[in-house]
Amino acid sequence: MAVIPVTTAGGAYEVRVARGLLGRAAEECAPLLRKREAVIVTDANVARHWRAPVEASFAAAGMASHWFELPPGEASKSWAQLGALLEWLLAREVERGDAILALGGGMVGDLTGLAAALLKRGCRFIQLPTTLLAQVDSSVGGKTAVNFGVGKNLVGAFHQPALVLADLSALDTLPPRELRAGYAEVVKYGVLGDAEFFAWCEASGAALLAGDAAPREHAVAHSVAAKARIVAADERETSGRRALLNLGHTFGHALEAATGFSDRLLHGEAVALGMVLAARFSARRGLMATAGAERIAAHVAASGLPSELSTLGLACDGRTLAAHMLHDKKMDAGALPFVLLRGIGEAFLDRSVEPSEVAGFLDDEIGRGMAGRSEPS
Ligand code: GLY
C-alpha cells in the first residue's frame, strides 16, 4: 500500500492507495469513528458495485452502516441535494466529532465535503473515491462545492478530509470513457510540473488504460504525491501555486459551457482538450516549441481523448467561447489568469491574456479542422 501524507493548515491526513481498501473500509476507518456505526453517502451507480462490500466490512466489525443514496450525475451536485443531505444528517444526529463517509466520484465527494463543512459548523469526513478523477484530484486537497445558478462549483468551502482511501479495484468497474477522462488529470501533473512523469505517461498510459495494476498504482500514488506538495504549499490558492492545477481548465470550462455541461464532453475530456489548447496557445505566443505542444496533443489523442477543437462540432465561434471564460470563477479583479507553458513540465500563471487574443486563437483552432488539420499559419 502507498501512503501519502497531506499536511495543510486546515488538517493533516493520509491518502492510502491500494487494491481492496473498500472491502476493509471498517478496519481502515475505525480509528476515526467514535460510534459503532457509519454514516455513508454515495450514489445509486456506485452503490450497485460497492455498497455490498463496504456494508459487509462494517457488519463484520459489528457496526451498523446508514446510507444516503443520491441520484447519479452532476445534477445531484445541487443546493437542493445539499439541503436534503443536511436534513438527513441532522435526523441521524451526526455530531461534530463524527466522520461522514463519501463513497463515489467527484460529485459525491464535493457535495458530502461541503455538507461536512457546514454541519454543526464543521465535522469530519472521509473520502472513498471510486473514480480515477476523484482518486488523483478531487478527493485530495479539501475543495468542496455544489453547482449554483450559471456556474459549476460556485458555492463551496475549503474543508480537508480526515482520511482518503483510494481503492484501485474501484477502477475495474469504471466505464472506459470515464477512466480515460480521469487519466487526463494524471497527464496534467506531468504537463504542469514533471516532464519525466509525462514521459512515463507516454510509455505506460496505454497499459494503465488497458487495466494493468502496476501503472495504475504508480499513476495514482505519483499524482496524489504531486497534489499533496502543491496543496501543502498553497492550500487556499492564494500564492498562484495551486492555481497551476487549473491547467487546461479555463479553456476546458468554456468547452463544457458550450456543450451545456453535458455528457457530450466529460470534465476530464474538456481538461484534456483544454491542456492541448493551452499548450498550442503558449506555442503561438512563442513561449514553448510547437513540437512540445504537438507532443502533448499526440499523447492526448493516443489515449482516446479529444485533442482537436474541430471534432466537437461546436456551433459557435472563438468570441463566444472566450465570453464563456469571463464567467469562470477564477476571474480575479477583472482579469482571467491563464495557466500557460514554457515547456512540458513548466507551467506558470499568466495574467496578461486578453479575451480577444484567445478568441482569435480559438477561431484558428476551429478552422484548423475545417482546413483538413493543416497547421495554422
Ligand atoms: N482540482 C484543482 C484543485 O484541487 O485545486
Side-chain angles (χ1 to χ4, degrees):
M1 172 159 72
V3 180
I4 299 108
V6 183
T7 311
T8 69
Y13 53 97
E14 287 183 355
V15 181
R16 300 178 194 154
V17 181
R19 291 186 72 82
L21 291 171
L22 293 178
R24 52 174 204 270
E27 195 183 313
E28 298 285 338
C29 298
L32 292 167
L33 303 177
R34 303 178 316 152
K35 299 175 183 160
R36 302 299 300 160
E37 61 178 27
V39 170
I40 305 173
V41 184
T42 190
D43 73 35
N45 281 345
V46 176
R48 221 175 40 247
H49 296 291
W50 296 107
R51 179 168 170 159
V54 172
E55 211 159 32
S57 162
F58 282 100
M63 296 169 75
S65 53
H66 306 290
W67 293 78
F68 186 91
E69 271 187 33
L70 294 151
E74 186 71 12
S76 286
K77 214 170 111 174
S78 66
W79 190 247
Q81 287 294 353
L82 177 69
L85 174 56
L86 286 168
E87 273 180 34
W88 182 80
L89 293 167
L90 286 168
R92 290 235 63 85
E93 299 186 346
V94 173
E95 296 164 0
R96 193 183 274 173
D98 294 336
I100 305 162
L101 276 62
L103 172 68
M107 178 277 282
V108 171
D110 285 8
L111 177 78
T112 309
L114 182 55
L118 295 172
L119 191 77
K120 315 248 167 117
R121 298 208 179 94
C123 56
R124 295 182 300 170
F125 78 117
I126 298 173
Q127 291 269 25
L128 288 75
T130 56
T131 64
L132 183 56
L133 191 142
Q135 293 188 351
V136 300
D137 183 36
S138 62
S139 68
V140 181
K143 279 190 180 175
T144 73
V146 290
N147 303 327
F148 200 91
V150 288
K152 282 182 72 175
N153 297 327
L154 284 185
V155 176
F158 287 96
H159 187 57
Q160 299 293 340
L163 174 67
V164 182
L165 300 178
D167 185 342
L168 298 165
S169 356
L171 306 182
D172 301 345
T173 56
L174 275 188
R177 185 178 172 203
E178 213 176 309
L179 186 75
R180 287 196 298 273
Y183 178 66
E185 299 277 0
V186 173
V187 175
K188 183 188 77 177
Y189 290 106
V191 175
L192 79 86
D194 189 342
E196 206 176 303
F197 185 60
F198 179 75
W200 179 89
C201 288
E202 289 178 308
S204 308
L208 180 160
L209 292 170
D212 282 13
R216 285 185 175 188
E217 176 163 3
H218 179 72
V220 174
H222 193 91
S223 301
V224 169
K227 181 149 187 185
R229 281 193 297 277
I230 292 171
V231 169
D234 183 19
E235 182 182 9
R236 290 187 169 243
E237 209 165 302
T238 45
S239 75
R241 180 96 191 267
R242 185 164 183 167
L244 299 183
L245 293 173
N246 296 329
L247 172 64
H249 283 62
T250 303
F251 284 106
H253 175 86
L255 302 176
E256 283 183 279
T259 49
F261 294 101
S262 68
D263 282 358
R264 246 178 93 190
L265 190 69
L266 302 179
H267 176 69
E269 293 170 338
V271 168
L273 180 47
M275 237 172 356
V276 172
L277 294 172
R280 285 185 179 151
F281 185 68
S282 302
R284 177 170 161 134
R285 282 190 140 201
L287 292 164
M288 81 182 286
T290 301
E294 292 315 312
R295 195 176 147 199
I296 296 168
H299 183 56
V300 164
S303 306
L305 288 159
S307 63
E308 299 299 330
L309 192 47
S310 53
T311 59
L312 294 190
L314 296 178
C316 64
D317 60 5
R319 225 174 69 174
T320 313
L321 286 175
H324 282 305
M325 295 176 184
L326 301 179
H327 299 297
D328 197 302
K329 67 181 175 311
K330 297 183 283 295
M331 281 294 284
D332 182 14
L336 184 57
F338 271 81
V339 183
L340 299 182
L341 296 167
R342 293 199 178 90
I344 294 175
E346 295 173 65
F348 71 101
L349 207 54
D350 189 313
R351 294 176 197 277
S352 71
V353 177
E354 292 292 334
S356 56
E357 187 187 355
V358 180
F361 163 73
L362 290 170
D363 279 334
D364 286 348
E365 282 295 310
I366 293 167
R368 176 188 178 97
M370 290 170 181
R373 306 256 192 291
S374 61
E375 288 290 313
S377 54

